[in-house]
Amino acid sequence: MDYFDSEDQSLPPEQLRKLQTNRLASLVNYLYENVLFYRNKLKHCGVKPGDINSLEQLQDLPFTIKEDFRDNYPFGLFAADLEDVVRVHASSGTTGKPTVVGYTKQDIDLWSRLAARTLACGGGSANDVVQVAYGYGLFTGGLGMHYGGEKLGATVIPISSGNSRQQLQLMEDFNTTLLCCTPTYALQLLETAREEGIDFHSLPLKTGFFGAEPWSDSMRQSIEQRMNIDALDIYGLSEIIGPGVSSECLEKQGLHIFEDHFYPEIIDPVSGQPLPEGEQGELVITCMTKQALPLLRYRTRDITSITREPCPCGRTFARMERVRGRTDDMLIIRGVNVFPSQIEAVLLEIEETEPHYQIIVKREGTLDELEIQVEVNRKLFTDAVKGLEKLQQKINHAIINTLNLRAKITLVEPRSLKRHQGKSQRVIDHRT
Ligand code: DLL
């Protein structure tokens, strides 16, 4: 099949491995020569330029972690001179300084290609109109998908996030076919459309490219049905490049990792040891071809698994399953491990609720308390109290059955929980 960059994405496995091995070897030489931080680390592991000739040797190389960015703030990990860096982005850390990333002209070109691949994974081409409703600015979502759209030759609407009424109006007037935003923002657009009496079934929108935060397959089904589109999961992180690290194709059977540039591994997050194919663990990425900020074995903290089973779409790249959460957003409640996305999946199965919820965790005495606030759909809210009580019990049972955890379920009015235009904040943990 012929689509943007199709040749690179359908390399036979042996050729891909050879390319990766060569790129890994060059990367190690490049890092040794250009980044003091890595030279010290490599020396410590006894690795010199020229030592790498197989992918298996990767396991002996050191990891890079988020704290390394903080310790080398702002530009200490850059491998290129600032003179050659044409752009920086940053993501806010949970504590203190933001994580700063840089791009040379060549890096921007690579990023644009990878974001264009992402759009092409959903059938995008030069004939499309792309509405980029990710935030523009230091966040990589907006500009990343923007350059991808242009690289593809499509028509880009750089509207950024927010202003939902205008989003819908332009969607109608400019015949938007591809929509890029967070899944939470897609929900908000649906809500505004309902208020404005706009029916997505009458719009030419075909595909949504939703990412930057965890979401569930049930949420996908709900959005697809109500927007009358294919909703694809797209993944990336600033440290690696931004959006354009991996993307679902229309088969929707996991996200193809663009592994000619980003070599993936799955490790046990506790021991750091590599895990076999198919097992769930922390995703580690080696960024082999960037100039300004190539990274060795970056620990993403995102939990997923990888398969190399062939995909009917013909892309030969490995696929990762939907990220269910991060090692650092897994909640431990009364000893039970819970990802917020698991709670979401339960709630979305219950048709009387809206896909807007908030998870609150507190400690009462020595015991953890989990409260789930969820919006009830309009019709039920006007019904008798008895109906609400029954619904509360139904949700409680579903949570106990799936997560083996008792929660306090609070039903709230439609539209009463806070809305987010970018990444949502589903969890408030008062214990930390
Ligand atoms: O969120 C880049 C991006 C923009 C990806 C637009 C997709 C679309 P950061 O702000 O650095 O970069 O946040 C990266 O967000 O480590 C994951 O924890 C989470 N994340 C990103 N995409 C997904 C996804 C951008 N599809 C962090 N599913 C990552 C789950 C995701 N989590």
Side-chain angles (χ1 to χ4, degrees):
M1 230 174 78
D2 197 25
Y3 48 83
F4 181 87
D5 233 359
S6 48
E7 218 170 285
D8 283 359
Q9 294 176 74
S10 49
L11 283 179
E14 332 65 76
Q15 267 186 45
L16 178 60
R17 272 187 84 79
K18 200 160 161 219
L19 179 77
Q20 289 169 327
T21 311
N22 292 340
R23 287 187 166 170
L24 178 65
S26 312
L27 170 72
V28 170
N29 298 350
Y30 182 71
L31 289 174
Y32 195 97
E33 297 302 334
N34 294 291
V35 188
L36 182 63
F37 165 83
Y38 277 119
R39 189 181 316 148
N40 291 338
K41 280 207 156 199
L42 289 166
K43 272 187 183 161
H44 189 75
C45 298
V47 177
K48 295 184 306 302
D51 278 357
I52 303 294
N53 50 33
S54 81
L55 286 174
E56 283 65 40
Q57 284 168 287
L58 193 58
Q59 284 179 29
D60 307 326
L61 300 179
F63 289 119
T64 309
I65 55 174
K66 182 108 176 168
E67 286 69 32
D68 294 329
F69 277 83
R70 197 184 51 205
D71 297 345
N72 293 282
Y73 178 84
F75 306 137
L77 291 182
F78 286 12
D81 291 335
L82 266 193
E83 192 182 303
D84 297 316
V85 171
V86 297
R87 175 102 64 84
V88 291
H89 281 277
S91 60
S92 50
T94 33
T95 47
K97 300 260 170 44
T99 302
V100 183
V101 299
Y103 306 77
T104 63
K105 259 199 175 120
Q106 190 182 303
D107 293 336
I108 294 284
D109 192 58
L110 170 67
W111 188 17
S112 311
R113 261 182 56 204
L114 299 176
R117 277 186 190 180
T118 298
L119 294 169
C121 269
S125 73
N127 300 325
D128 280 296
V129 178
V130 190
Q131 188 154 332
V132 180
Y134 282 115
Y136 280 61
L138 288 176
F139 175 55
T140 51
L143 281 165
M145 294 315 288
H146 178 110
Y147 275 61
E150 288 188 352
K151 183 59 123 193
L152 196 62
T155 308
V156 177
I157 312 174
I159 188 164
S160 193
S161 61
N163 206 348
S164 304
R165 282 198 178 83
Q166 194 191 17
Q167 299 266 3
L168 293 166
Q169 177 162 12
L170 296 195
M171 222 177 255
E172 271 187 317
D173 295 349
F174 297 176
N175 287 325
T176 301
T177 51
L178 311 180
L179 171 66
C180 306
C181 63
T182 59
T184 328
Y185 192 58
L187 291 177
Q188 198 175 325
L189 287 174
L190 276 165
E191 209 161 49
T192 309
R194 186 159 65 186
E195 285 165 7
E196 300 284 305
I198 296 170
D199 180 7
F200 269 92
H201 289 73
S202 65
L203 298 179
L205 197 64
K206 290 189 306 199
T207 315
F209 298 86
F210 303 137
E213 60 182 2
W215 54 308
S216 60
D217 219 42
S218 333
M219 173 88 86
R220 182 217 305 275
Q221 280 155 21
S222 162
I223 295 177
E224 286 193 328
Q225 211 180 18
R226 293 157 68 199
M227 281 198 170
N228 190 29
I229 58 169
D230 284 300
L232 302 184
D233 189 12
I234 71 169
Y235 168 86
L237 59 167
S238 331
E239 294 90 315
I240 299 303
I241 205 159
V245 174
S246 67
S247 170
E248 275 185 330
C249 63
L250 289 165
E251 299 291 331
K252 301 174 197 163
Q253 296 292 327
L255 296 82
H256 290 281
I257 305 171
F258 299 140
E259 58 169 333
D260 47 346
H261 297 280
F262 308 126
Y263 188 81
E265 298 169 87
I266 299 288
I267 61 162
D268 176 328
V270 179
S271 70
Q273 287 307 307
L275 291 174
E277 185 179 324
E279 276 193 37
Q280 259 194 9
E282 179 180 350
L283 175 67
V284 171
I285 297 178
T286 295
C287 197
M288 298 178 290
T289 51
K290 270 165 59 196
Q291 287 183 327
L293 188 61
L295 296 178
L296 203 51
R297 305 191 83 201
Y298 183 66
R299 292 186 61 159
T300 65
R301 307 188 198 186
D302 291 321
I303 303 289
T304 182
S305 66
I306 289 180
T307 171
R308 292 191 175 275
E309 287 290 308
C311 179
C313 78
R315 288 174 181 82
T316 49
F317 292 160
R319 281 169 292 152
M320 56 188 251
E321 71 166 335
R322 183 185 276 288
V323 169
R324 22 158 87 216
R326 301 169 54 80
T327 50
D328 46 6
D329 74 11
M330 186 180 79
L331 295 164
I332 305 180
I333 300 166
R334 281 173 257 137
V336 181
N337 298 350
V338 188
F339 284 109
S341 57
Q342 289 176 291
I343 296 179
E344 173 179 304
V346 173
L347 294 177
L348 280 159
E349 291 299 318
I350 297 176
E351 55 188 274
E352 298 94 328
T353 61
E354 295 287 312
H356 300 283
Y357 62 92
Q358 181 87 65
I359 298 165
I360 298 164
V361 192
K362 354 181 220 239
R363 185 157 290 152
E364 309 254 315
T366 54
L367 217 57
D368 298 327
E369 288 294 333
L370 167 67
E371 179 185 353
I372 302 171
Q373 300 181 343
V374 59
E375 290 185 12
V376 174
N377 66 34
R378 217 168 286 271
K379 195 177 141 286
L380 194 89
F381 214 79
T382 52
D383 277 3
V385 177
K386 224 164 107 205
L388 293 174
E389 275 173 5
K390 246 166 102 184
L391 175 60
Q392 232 166 0
Q393 278 171 7
K394 183 170 165 186
I395 301 175
N396 218 339
H397 282 142
I399 295 280
I400 291 172
N401 282 342
T402 322
L403 303 174
N404 205 6
L405 202 66
R406 192 171 290 279
K408 175 179 172 203
I409 309 294
T410 310
L411 303 177
V412 301
E413 276 184 60
R415 295 224 68 149
S416 60
L417 295 175
K418 190 169 184 289
R419 299 293 190 260
H420 298 269
Q421 294 168 352
K423 294 176 194 260
S424 60
Q425 251 186 330
R426 300 292 197 190
V427 182
I428 302 173
D429 194 340
H430 291 295
R431 299 172 303 179
T432 47

